[in-house]
Amino acid sequence: MGIKTISELDIAGRRVFIRVDFNVPLTPEGKVSDDTRIRESLPTIKLAIEKGARVVLASHLGRPKGKPDKKYSLEPVAARLAELTGEEVALTDEPVGDGARKVVSDLPAKAIALLENLRFSPGEEANDEAFSRALASYADVYVNDAFGTAHRAHASTAGITKFVGDKGMGLLMEREVKFLGKLLGDVERPFVAIIGGAKVSDKIGVLDNLLGRVDQILIGGAMANTFLKAKGGQLGRSLVEEDKLALARSFLKKAEESSVDVLLPRDVVAGAGIKAESGRVVQAMLVPEDLAALDIGPETARGFADAIARAKTIFWNGPMGVFESAPFASGTLAVARAVAGAAGALSVVGGGDSVAAVQQSGVADKITHISTGGGASLEFLEGKKLPGLAALES
Ligand code: ADP
Ligand code: MG
């Protein structure tokens, strides 16, 4: 059982269906406001064209609820893609149907067709067999390059593969599997995981699976509050998941038993609320009643940075505080700089907000791998089999 890469597939002259992630943010006027995801798909698309394939692209955009909705048309995406590739891009009027069939069957070699938003059909998210067959009828070869949706069993990520002969992964997917896969194998030590963000419940799965692999776990963000409270701290008005205190306690116990060092904040930046114009540094276990912990404090940030500097393998998911607001961004930015500065280390960052923080701090090019999939990267590291990858095995 293995997964072929696009380089190993015979695609010259054939119709290659590439599932891409063009789920880009749009401006209120309906223009593409950030084309990162389109640009990230270019290497795979260009490779297919160079090899003489006829390229059929498919993606979802937003949540159009299973019916056509002009607001979520891929039209602006097709326009941007045409600019970026210098090729004409033929957008179909529906994801499947007579119009789409005609565009695809008339497609010359080295040309690009883009199916309209897959979620205009309810069959996409339902992983419906008839819809999967219709998509497969446009493909001689299937390639998945959309890691961000690989944790979903949808028609374009899973169902379709039952009805195509050749299948494999694109260059972007290959990179994700390579670097996230490294974290699950034998790594250079120390292996340090930095976990933050909003909720314990979102990340407890990955925390549990990392326990058996890492040497040290640094916990920050709102997540840390629940752990601090579980250890008897007074958290004032901080975000705490009261129903996860027992879970947090049992996690800390397991960590101790497996000799994994868990670092929690010693000081935090507290403020009246996320809109507060300033904060003040207080002890993490003793947050005043009228304040909330909104960032890790300077002493904690230094401690985390020291641990990160010693690491040889690093995984980071989840900001250390409300980094969207300047008074509470320092901890997250300090961690971003530390990860970027860890000389010779393999560093992987995943999660929409964490990736935004890395980009905000201008150090993205010093990170070994920035994952394009938040939920998908977490599920991968939880050790779960992603449906979109399982479907590519042959
Ligand atoms: P990612 O997208 O990287 O996986 P999450 O979505 O889990 O990260 O968490 C990011 C969110 O958590 C951000 O909106 C941030 O403002 C919020 N957050 C982080 N720390 C705190 C905190 N101490 N209190 C309230 N919100 C926080
Ligand atoms: Mg997020």
Side-chain angles (χ1 to χ4, degrees):
M1 296 283 263
I3 300 179
K4 286 193 180 136
T5 65
I6 186 170
S7 322
E8 295 165 328
L9 293 166
D10 175 20
I11 59 174
R14 302 172 82 195
R15 282 173 314 169
V16 180
F17 182 109
I18 310 178
R19 176 48 162 110
V20 286
D21 181 1
F22 285 167
N23 184 28
V24 295
L26 299 175
T27 64
E29 298 78 44
K31 290 250 155 45
V32 175
S33 64
D34 179 349
D35 65 2
T36 307
R37 286 182 168 160
I38 305 176
R39 282 187 287 105
E40 280 174 339
S41 305
L42 293 178
T44 299
I45 297 170
K46 285 186 174 156
L47 179 66
I49 291 177
E50 269 163 33
K51 289 178 112 187
R54 297 187 276 158
V55 177
V56 180
L57 302 175
S59 176
H60 75 282
L61 173 66
R63 299 182 178 278
K65 303 204 175 85
K67 55 179 192 306
D69 180 343
K70 219 177 154 1
K71 214 168 58 232
Y72 297 110
S73 169
L74 283 170
E75 215 177 297
V77 173
R80 187 75 192 112
L81 180 63
E83 281 169 21
L84 288 169
T85 56
E87 312 275 346
E88 229 173 275
V89 176
L91 178 67
T92 65
D93 58 350
E94 290 175 301
V96 302
D98 293 341
R101 188 173 313 115
K102 176 141 179 40
V103 169
V104 171
S105 57
D106 291 350
L107 197 68
K110 303 193 167 208
I112 304 174
L114 173 61
L115 302 183
E116 184 52 288
N117 194 341
L118 293 167
R119 291 191 187 169
F120 281 2
S121 164
E124 167 62 359
E125 289 181 90
N127 197 13
D128 173 69
E129 183 170 325
F131 186 69
S132 300
R133 277 183 193 278
L135 292 178
S137 73
Y138 305 148
D140 300 318
V141 182
Y142 170 80
V143 168
N144 193 345
D145 210 22
F147 182 70
T149 47
H151 59 317
R152 307 269 183 249
H154 291 168
S156 69
T157 61
I160 182 173
T161 61
K162 290 200 279 285
F163 310 110
V164 292
D166 286 344
K167 56 194 178 182
M169 54 188 170
L171 299 172
L172 200 55
M173 186 77 97
E174 197 184 337
R175 260 181 76 78
E176 295 281 4
V177 170
K178 175 177 157 195
F179 286 108
L180 291 168
K182 276 187 196 222
L183 298 184
L184 293 180
D186 276 333
V187 296
E188 268 197 81
R189 299 192 172 276
F191 181 177
V192 174
I194 313 144
I195 309 289
K199 285 194 191 153
V200 174
S201 37
D202 287 346
K203 316 231 161 135
I204 192 72
V206 77
L207 277 171
D208 267 334
N209 199 39
L210 287 172
L211 261 193
R213 308 180 180 277
V214 301
D215 302 293
Q216 216 172 20
I217 300 182
L218 321 182
I219 301 182
M223 278 241 320
N225 300 335
T226 303
F227 284 92
L228 291 165
K229 181 135 189 192
K231 292 185 75 168
Q234 289 174 31
L235 274 295
R237 286 167 52 185
S238 310
L239 209 62
V240 172
E241 286 168 275
E242 299 287 345
D243 62 333
K244 296 290 179 299
L245 293 173
L247 191 66
R249 249 176 244 120
S250 90
F251 174 80
L252 292 171
K253 189 156 164 276
K254 269 187 283 177
E256 204 177 322
E257 285 161 7
S258 28
S259 307
V260 173
D261 184 25
V262 177
L263 293 190
L264 288 168
R266 297 171 59 92
D267 59 344
V268 293
V269 182
I274 56 170
K275 297 228 163 65
E277 279 169 22
S278 64
R280 70 178 228 250
V281 178
V282 300
Q283 285 178 51
M285 293 289 275
L286 212 60
V287 177
E289 256 174 52
D290 55 340
L291 298 180
L294 298 171
D295 191 12
I296 55 172
E299 185 192 336
T300 303
R302 273 194 301 277
F304 282 14
D306 287 345
I308 293 165
R310 286 190 295 269
K312 282 281 164 278
T313 304
I314 302 165
F315 172 65
W316 178 22
N317 174 288
M320 298 291 103
V322 183
F323 75 103
E324 301 93 331
S325 168
F328 309 109
S330 305
T332 302
L333 298 183
V335 163
R337 282 192 301 273
V339 173
L346 166 75
S347 52
V348 178
V349 180
D353 292 290
S354 324
V355 169
V358 164
Q359 260 137 13
Q360 191 177 314
S361 37
V363 294
D365 60 328
K366 298 205 172 63
I367 309 281
T368 314
H369 179 63
I370 294 184
S371 178
T372 54
S377 65
L378 286 178
E379 289 196 20
F380 189 101
L381 292 177
E382 278 170 39
K384 288 188 187 158
K385 204 166 191 163
L386 306 188
L389 286 174
L392 294 178
E393 283 177 4
S394 52

